[in-house]
């Protein structure tokens, strides 16, 4: 999909516009604006951010459209085997005992040496996991039988057998060598791997789903399976570590035939199932704060974000041109300041009647609402607006959506500045002594302390400092061996390589990336053996390739975000270790590169053919595909997976840059502000919130002129982003020239802390020799057998004469 092709329809072709005479040009622009106002006036996107899309959508995304013929092949393999054992009965008509007996028989069939026989049995098991759709009449019935069959397969021990087979395929050097030598890799090269990964994914994704109608046995099986997946039961490592190994092997070029989309989807769902999603993260956070004796969270962030409304997007480029023409005409008229006041008083400051007024990149006089939000940007101070009844279109909640937060460090800094100013001395980290300070400062300190927020990370850092200071008297640290801790221990030795591999694949899947000869081929499991010969086949493959890339971006963004959030809760230095390696691997410019496209075009992409999606394609008769039906796509307002990916990537960028001055400056250096501002055109509150957060942290470094001409963005930040009470983000009062920006020192100090943490907790071999217990017992020391070299034994008499007999001994000194 071409990321930049979607914007031509909004502003018209540049050559086409330039050919028009001046009078016609204004009319052309007005007509263009009428066409584009539909975008500006569009309602909020009805998108509910969740851990995953609906179950049916997640199942359909596992298969590419080129795999379509394999559904019937799976059915054939199952039916041939089934008919030899069961006569004149359907699978749906058998009893539970017969179901179990057949599942056991199939499982025994996997334990054969002949590859062809093993593949046939695996396909039969895959058909079972796909819900034995040949005996079903509706999609709901297919899903119902899928759930039943998959719990049956789990009960008989299929998953363990599949893991062993997958390990065999990963280590299959013959297949790897054959794939490396091939000039073009296709779907056929990954057949065995795809069948195994399909079954494993269907099992993990189906068992992960909560269902109130599940029996107690199924719920117990679900809990057991979750624990097994997160424990080092397979090859002494969790399943996730094995899948990470597949990702790095693929990126190194040793196994180009690996079906990377399926590997990444299985990795994502395994992490999600074993560690928990966003709501579980919130519950863990609440529990941990309670255990550490911290006050409860001021609000539930998930609920706050879901209740927020999107701000109006910026106007289109055609509106900008017309505004410039208006400004030129207005210069000939006398401007009366009172008109601006009247316009302000007549309007609600938070309402926008005309979408064109939302453009930030205009002169301040163009929009009378801008100066009132930040009167300090003006020479004069505007009076407050006259109160009036609220309009129906305005649905902002009373007050701000987030409770303000203050760090201990902020209170210390405020007190230190106040003492230096009023008294002339400082007291270091003392935040209680207020002697000699004016009463307003007392009030300020009280307010700051009232909103003080202590994070779990601050407690963890303080504890780690204590362990480093007192390695002997500090005692042994009790580490809870939960799923996330086991996963961190598993991926710790190769974590940098895993991060680089994921980002390499993300770069190859990004719509803004150009095809290069040296980039990795992520299309091995979507390209057919025979390339398309008709226009219709080419269009279908084009949709399939774009959809394939979108699903890969979705999976990687979800994996990175989940790991960052879970590591941060488990221990801050685990999070920092992963985050730092993402930064070192150029994750920040990569995400900005991803957003440097027509983001509305990406959000509304129609890269799906609903009649080919599973299970619809196996239940209903397939209608004849035409070029028109392929171009039409679905009727959805947006593409769920693409909007989900965009929000995930913005959240990752926020996590990498939060409280990191050096990384914030990377956002400035890579000119992220215009890229992020374009992303505000997507009318979705959650996406806008994370864009505004990223703009907020760099606002003070963008200069007064940028802030002056982007007051609408500043206003949106004020309304939607959490406030830090003594943060001067909006004014840029920091003395930027005087501040020593030693970015390397900041990252190096952090890296040293991380290495000390990892060394203390995980590297037992590198323990400090000074802290090793000393054996002071004379008998045990003399009783030790010491191996002496041969030359020493030969010259033993000489050594005795030189080192013992000829040297005088001062007994008084020895006694002292």
């Amino acid at each position: 999909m071409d990321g930049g092709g979607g914007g031509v329809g909004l502003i018209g072709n540049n050559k086409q516009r330039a050919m028009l005479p001046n009078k016609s040009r204004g009319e052309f622009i007005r007509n263009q604006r009428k066409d584009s106002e539909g975008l500006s006036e569009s309602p909020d996107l009805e998108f509910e951010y969740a851990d995953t899309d609906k179950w049916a959508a997640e199942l359909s995304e596992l298969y590419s459209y080129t795999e379509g013929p394999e559904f019937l092949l799976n059915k054939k393999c199952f039916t041939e085997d089934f008919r030899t054992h069961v006569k004149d009965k359907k699978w749906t008509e058998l009893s539970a005992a017969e179901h179990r007996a057949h599942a056991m028989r199939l499982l025994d069939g996997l334990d054969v040496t002949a590859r062809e026989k093993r593949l046939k049995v695996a396909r039969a098991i895959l058909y079972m996991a796909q819900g034995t759709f040949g005996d079903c009449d509706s999609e709901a019935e297919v899903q119902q039988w899928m759930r039943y069959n998959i719990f049956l397969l789990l009960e008989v021990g299929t998953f363990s057998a599949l893991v062993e087979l997958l390990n065999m395929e990963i280590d299959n050097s013959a297949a790897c060598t054959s794939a490396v030598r091939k000039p073009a890799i296709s779907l056929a090269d990954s057949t065995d791997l795809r069948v195994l990964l399909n079954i494993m994914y269907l099992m993990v994704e189906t068992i992960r789903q909560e269902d109130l109608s599940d029996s107690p046995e199924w719920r117990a099986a679900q809990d057991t399976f979750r624990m097994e997946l997160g424990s080092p039961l397979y090859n002494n490592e969790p399943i996730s570590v094995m899948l990470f190994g597949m990702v790095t092997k693929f990126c190194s070029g040793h196994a180009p035939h690996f079906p990377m989309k399926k590997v990444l989807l299985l990795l994502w769902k395994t992490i999600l199932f074993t560690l928990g999603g966003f709501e579980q993260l919130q519950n863990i956070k609440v529990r941990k704060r309670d255990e550490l004796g911290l006050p409860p969270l001021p609000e539930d962030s998930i609920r706050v974000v879901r209740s927020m409304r999107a701000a109006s997007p910026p106007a289109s480029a055609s509106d900008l041109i017309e505004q410039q023409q208006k400004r030129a005409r207005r210069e000939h008229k006398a401007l009366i300041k009172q008109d601006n006041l009247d316009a302000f008083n007549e309007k609600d400051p938070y309402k926008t009647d005309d979408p064109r007024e939302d453009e930030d990149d205009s002169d301040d006089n163009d929009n009378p609402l801008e100066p009132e939000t930040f009167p300090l940007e003006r020479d004069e101070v505007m009076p407050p607006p006259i109160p009036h009844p609220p309009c129906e279109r305005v649905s902002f909640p009373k007050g701000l959506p987030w409770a303000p937060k203050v760090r201990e460090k902020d209170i210390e800094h405020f007190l230190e500045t106040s003492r230096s100013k009023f008294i002339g001395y400082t007291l270091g980290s003392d935040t209680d002594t207020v002697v000699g300070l004016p009463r307003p400062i007392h009030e300020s300190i009280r307010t700051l302390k009232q909103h003080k927020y202590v994070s779990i990370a601050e407690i963890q850092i303080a504890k780690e400092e204590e362990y480093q200071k007192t390695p002997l008297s500090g005692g042994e640290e009790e580490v809870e061996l939960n799923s996330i801790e086991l996963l961190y221990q598993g991926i710790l030795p190769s974590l940098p390589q895993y991060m680089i591999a994921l980002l390499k694949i993300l770069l190859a899947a990004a719509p803004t990336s150009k095809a290069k000869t040296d980039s990795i081929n992520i299309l091995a499991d979507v390209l057919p053996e025979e390339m398309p010969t008709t226009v219709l086949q080419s269009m279908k493959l084009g949709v399939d390739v774009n959809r394939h890339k979108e699903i890969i971006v979705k999976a990687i963004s979800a994996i990175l975000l989940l790991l960052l959030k879970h590591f941060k809760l488990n221990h801050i230095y685990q999070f920092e270790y992963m985050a730092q390696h993402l930064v070192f691997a150029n994750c920040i410019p990569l995400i900005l590169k991803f957003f440097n496209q027509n983001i509305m075009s990406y959000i509304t992409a129609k890269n799906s053919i609903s009649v080919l999606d599973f299970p619809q394609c196996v239940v209903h008769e397939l209608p004849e595909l035409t070029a028109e039906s392929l171009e039409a796509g679905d009727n959805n307002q947006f593409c769920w997976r693409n909007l989900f990916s965009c929000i995930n990537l913005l959240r990752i960028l926020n996590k990498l840059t939060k409280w990191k001055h050096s990384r914030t400056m990377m956002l400035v250096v890579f000119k992220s502000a215009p890229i992020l501002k374009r992303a505000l055109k997507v009318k979705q509150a959650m996406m806008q919130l994370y864009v505004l957060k990223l703009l907020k942290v760099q606002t003070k470094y963008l200069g007064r002129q940028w802030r002056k001409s982007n007051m609408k963005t500043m206003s949106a930040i004020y309304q939607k982003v959490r406030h830090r009470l003594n943060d001067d983000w909006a004014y840029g009062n920091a003395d930027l020239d005087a501040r020593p920006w030693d970015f390397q020192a900041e990252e190096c100090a952090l890296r040293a802390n991380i290495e000390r943490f990892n060394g203390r907790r995980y590297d037992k071999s590198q323990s400090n020799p000074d802290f090793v217990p000393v054996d002071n017992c004379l008998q045990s020391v003399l009783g030790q057998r010491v191996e002496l070299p041969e030359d020493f034994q030969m010259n033993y008499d000489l050594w005795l004469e030189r080192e013992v007999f000829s040297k005088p001994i001062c007994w008084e000194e020895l006694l002292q």
Side-chain angles (χ1 to χ4, degrees):
M1 186 183 73
D2 183 10
V8 177
L10 295 181
I11 60 174
N13 185 290
N14 288 333
K15 290 180 183 176
Q16 181 186 358
R17 199 165 55 241
M19 289 167 64
L20 294 168
N22 287 337
K23 282 187 179 179
S24 304
R25 197 177 301 173
E27 188 179 343
F28 173 81
I29 289 165
R30 278 192 291 277
N31 291 336
Q32 287 287 318
R33 195 189 69 241
K34 285 175 187 173
D35 295 337
S36 69
E37 274 179 3
L39 173 68
S40 295
E41 288 285 355
S42 61
D44 288 11
L45 299 181
E46 295 298 323
F47 171 82
E48 188 174 336
Y49 184 74
D51 295 314
T52 61
D53 201 350
K54 293 181 177 65
W55 187 41
E58 294 295 337
L59 294 179
S60 69
E61 288 181 356
L62 174 64
Y63 312 102
S64 56
Y65 295 143
T66 46
E67 283 181 275
E70 295 190 17
F71 289 121
L72 294 178
L73 184 57
N74 300 337
K75 180 183 174 183
K76 182 185 171 190
C77 291
F78 176 85
T79 309
E80 285 176 0
D81 180 73
F82 188 67
R83 288 282 167 261
T84 58
H85 296 96
V86 181
K87 304 291 183 187
D88 305 324
K89 269 191 177 182
K90 290 183 178 180
W91 173 261
T92 51
E93 296 168 352
L94 300 182
S95 66
E98 289 172 314
H99 283 149
R100 182 181 166 83
H102 191 71
M104 294 285 284
R105 198 160 40 240
L106 284 175
L107 187 58
D108 290 339
L110 282 179
D111 194 15
V112 293
T113 51
R115 180 177 290 273
E116 292 77 13
K117 288 182 180 176
R118 200 166 62 228
L119 181 61
K120 276 191 173 183
V121 175
R123 284 198 179 279
I125 293 174
L126 176 56
Y127 177 71
M128 275 182 67
Q130 288 169 342
T132 51
F133 50 79
D135 300 340
C136 302
D137 299 322
S138 67
E139 292 176 37
E141 196 178 348
V142 171
Q143 291 175 359
Q144 184 183 339
W145 276 102
M146 270 184 74
R147 197 161 177 80
Y148 173 82
N149 292 345
I150 280 170
F151 272 99
L152 174 64
L153 289 171
L154 178 68
E155 185 189 342
V156 298
T158 311
F159 197 84
S160 302
L162 293 171
V163 173
E164 287 178 21
L165 286 174
L166 185 62
N167 262 320
M168 280 173 51
E169 291 299 329
I170 292 169
D171 297 333
N172 186 350
S173 55
C176 293
T177 309
S178 168
V180 169
R181 287 176 181 168
K182 277 194 174 184
I185 300 168
S186 70
L187 205 64
D189 296 294
S190 59
T191 304
D192 292 12
L193 279 165
R194 281 188 296 106
V195 171
L196 296 174
L197 289 166
N198 280 345
I199 305 170
M200 291 170 75
Y201 176 86
L202 291 173
M203 289 184 76
V204 171
E205 176 60 11
T206 305
I207 295 166
R208 190 185 68 79
Q209 301 291 328
E210 299 283 346
D211 195 329
L212 297 174
S213 60
D214 283 352
S215 64
E217 291 81 12
W218 279 14
R219 290 188 184 177
Q222 186 183 46
D223 291 338
T224 307
F225 186 51
R226 182 192 289 112
M227 288 180 65
E228 287 177 356
L229 275 183
S231 303
L233 297 181
Y234 310 99
N235 292 348
N236 296 322
E237 60 185 18
I239 291 289
S240 305
V241 179
M242 185 178 80
L243 296 172
F244 267 122
M246 288 184 76
V247 175
T248 48
K249 193 172 181 181
F250 170 80
C251 285
S252 66
H254 297 309
H257 64 298
F258 281 2
M260 211 22 60
K261 183 189 84 173
K262 294 182 191 297
V263 173
L264 290 167
L265 282 173
L266 178 57
L267 176 58
W268 168 32
K269 293 303 168 63
T270 305
I271 291 171
L272 182 61
F273 185 35
T274 53
L275 307 185
F278 301 131
E279 294 208 7
Q280 286 94 328
L281 275 161
Q282 189 76 358
N283 296 336
I284 295 169
K285 196 173 186 179
V286 169
R287 177 177 59 80
K288 283 214 165 194
R289 289 186 68 82
D290 185 50
E291 287 172 0
L292 293 169
L294 295 172
L297 292 165
E299 70 276 295
D300 185 338
S301 54
I302 294 173
R303 288 180 186 169
V304 172
V305 173
R306 281 180 183 164
S307 63
M308 289 175 81
R309 295 291 306 278
S312 298
S316 62
S318 57
D319 300 336
L320 275 181
I321 299 167
E322 187 168 6
Q323 281 181 351
Q324 288 170 356
Q325 291 179 346
K326 277 185 184 178
R327 193 178 305 139
R329 288 197 297 270
R330 212 182 286 142
E331 284 174 1
H332 301 293
K333 298 177 184 178
L335 290 175
I336 304 169
K337 210 65 179 172
Q338 186 63 35
D339 291 347
N340 279 353
L341 289 176
D342 293 342
F344 178 78
N345 291 338
E346 286 169 12
K347 293 190 175 188
D348 188 305
Y350 296 128
K351 187 178 95 176
T352 305
D353 291 328
D354 188 342
R356 288 168 289 164
E357 290 178 0
D358 270 348
E359 182 51 48
D360 293 345
D361 298 324
S362 58
D363 192 76
D364 284 348
N365 287 339
D366 266 26
N367 192 343
L369 307 190
E370 288 177 356
E372 288 68 31
T373 315
F374 291 93
L376 294 179
E377 291 284 341
R378 286 289 193 175
D379 294 334
E380 68 275 5
V381 178
M382 293 293 198
I386 296 170
H388 58 278
C391 177
E392 288 180 9
R393 285 176 59 190
V394 181
S395 57
F396 281 88
K398 290 181 180 178
L400 296 164
W402 306 97
K405 283 183 181 177
V406 181
R407 296 183 298 168
E408 181 75 21
K409 198 183 291 183
D410 298 330
I411 300 174
E412 288 175 14
H413 179 68
F414 176 76
L415 263 170
E416 194 174 325
T417 310
S418 302
R419 286 174 186 142
S420 298
K421 183 177 178 182
F422 292 106
I423 308 172
Y425 68 88
T426 59
L427 294 175
S429 59
D430 184 345
T431 57
D432 297 321
T433 307
V434 290
V435 177
L437 295 176
R439 187 159 299 280
I441 299 295
H442 293 206
E443 294 291 330
S444 301
I445 294 162
R446 193 177 301 118
T447 306
L448 288 173
K449 286 186 174 179
Q450 187 182 339
H451 293 99
K452 188 172 90 167
Y453 176 79
V454 180
S455 65
I456 295 170
E458 289 174 70
I459 303 290
Q460 290 170 341
I461 289 170
K463 281 186 177 179
E464 184 59 28
E465 284 176 359
E466 194 63 32
Y467 282 125
Q468 296 292 350
K469 280 180 189 173
T470 56
L472 297 176
S473 59
E476 280 292 318
E477 182 186 14
E478 291 182 16
V479 180
E480 184 187 354
L481 284 177
N482 50 23
S483 298
I484 185 65
E485 182 64 36
L486 291 168
L487 178 59
Y488 183 77
Q489 291 178 13
I491 68 174
L492 176 62
S494 306
L495 189 138
Q497 290 89 327
Y498 296 154
M499 295 304 109
I500 291 168
L502 287 176
L503 292 183
K504 267 189 180 179
I505 299 170
L506 183 61
L507 175 63
T512 49
S513 294
K514 300 289 181 285
K516 293 180 183 174
T517 51
D518 59 338
S519 63
I520 51 177
N521 176 22
I522 55 170
L523 304 177
D525 53 330
V526 71
L527 297 175
E529 284 185 274
E530 296 178 4
M531 293 308 284
T533 52
T534 66
V535 174
L536 187 67
Q537 288 175 342
S538 298
M539 287 178 70
K540 180 184 161 189
L541 182 60
V543 170
D544 207 3
V545 165
N546 287 337
R547 173 177 176 268
H548 183 82
K549 288 182 176 180
E550 289 172 4
I551 295 166
I552 286 176
V553 173
K554 172 186 175 182
I556 292 177
S557 66
I559 289 167
L560 291 176
L561 181 61
L562 274 174
L563 287 178
L564 284 170
K565 287 187 77 67
H566 276 286
F567 284 152
K568 191 171 185 180
L569 270 182
N570 198 51
H571 200 288
I572 184 64
Y573 283 133
Q574 293 177 351
F575 161 82
E576 294 290 8
Y577 185 54
M578 178 179 166
Q580 194 165 60
H581 279 291
L582 284 174
V583 173
F584 290 163
N586 283 334
C587 184
I588 292 174
L590 171 55
I591 293 176
L592 293 174
K593 178 184 172 70
F594 180 89
F595 279 96
N596 194 19
Q597 60 170 310
N598 186 329
I599 207 71
M600 280 304 296
S601 175
Y602 187 70
I603 295 292
T604 55
K606 306 286 186 190
N607 290 313
S608 59
I609 307 166
S610 55
V611 291
L612 296 179
D613 283 338
F614 179 86
Q616 187 174 341
C617 62
V618 293
V619 175
H620 306 294
E621 279 293 321
L622 192 65
E624 187 181 352
L625 289 175
T626 62
E628 289 74 23
S629 65
L630 287 181
E631 280 182 340
D634 52 35
N635 297 320
N636 292 338
Q637 189 186 12
F638 56 87
C639 175
W640 197 96
R641 65 173 164 265
N642 289 354
L643 192 44
F644 175 76
S645 303
C646 287
I647 293 174
N648 285 346
L649 290 172
L650 287 168
R651 294 184 76 182
I652 291 164
L653 203 50
N654 268 288
K655 292 211 163 295
L656 295 182
T657 53
K658 190 175 183 181
W659 303 122
K660 302 287 189 302
H661 183 246
S662 57
R663 299 175 194 174
T664 302
M665 291 311 297
M666 285 178 77
L667 293 177
V668 180
V669 169
F670 289 120
K671 295 183 170 59
S672 66
I675 295 171
L676 293 168
K677 252 191 71 182
R678 282 201 298 276
L680 286 174
K681 289 186 178 180
V682 180
K683 284 198 74 175
Q684 207 283 324
M686 193 169 195
M687 182 164 168
Q688 286 186 347
L689 172 69
Y690 290 111
V691 171
L692 292 169
K693 279 186 168 188
L694 288 165
L695 285 169
K696 179 185 174 181
V697 294
Q698 55 178 315
T699 296
K700 65 167 74 174
Y701 308 116
L702 295 174
R704 180 185 171 85
Q705 187 54 47
W706 187 91
R707 295 194 295 275
K708 189 177 174 185
S709 55
N710 287 275
M711 292 305 289
K712 270 300 174 66
T713 304
M714 303 281 282
S715 197
I717 292 171
Y718 180 81
Q719 291 167 23
K720 293 184 180 296
V721 182
R722 189 192 303 278
H723 288 266
R724 300 276 168 176
L725 288 185
N726 48 356
D727 185 8
D728 60 349
W729 67 271
Y731 307 109
N733 290 333
D735 188 358
L736 304 182
D737 297 327
R739 182 168 183 180
W741 283 348
D742 191 351
F743 303 142
Q744 265 189 322
E746 193 178 331
E747 291 291 350
C748 286
L750 178 61
R751 189 173 189 173
N753 288 336
I754 295 165
E755 285 176 354
R756 278 196 292 270
F757 164 76
N758 283 335
R760 179 188 66 79
R761 193 188 264 197
Y762 304 109
D763 195 358
K764 301 301 179 188
S765 63
Q766 297 294 323
S767 56
N768 193 324
D770 295 339
F771 300 144
V772 175
V774 178
D775 187 358
N776 292 319
C777 178
L778 193 63
Q779 286 183 340
S780 66
V781 170
L782 292 175
Q784 286 179 1
R785 183 170 181 81
V786 180
E787 291 293 329
L788 297 169
E790 282 187 24
D791 57 340
F792 178 82
Q793 291 176 9
M794 288 169 64
N795 300 305
Y796 178 62
D797 294 338
L798 286 172
W799 181 85
L800 270 178
E801 184 64 37
R802 188 178 68 244
E803 298 293 334
V804 181
F805 301 140
S806 63
K807 288 204 172 182
I809 299 171
C810 186
W811 297 104
E812 286 79 6
E813 282 185 20
L814 280 174
L815 290 171
Q816 287 173 4

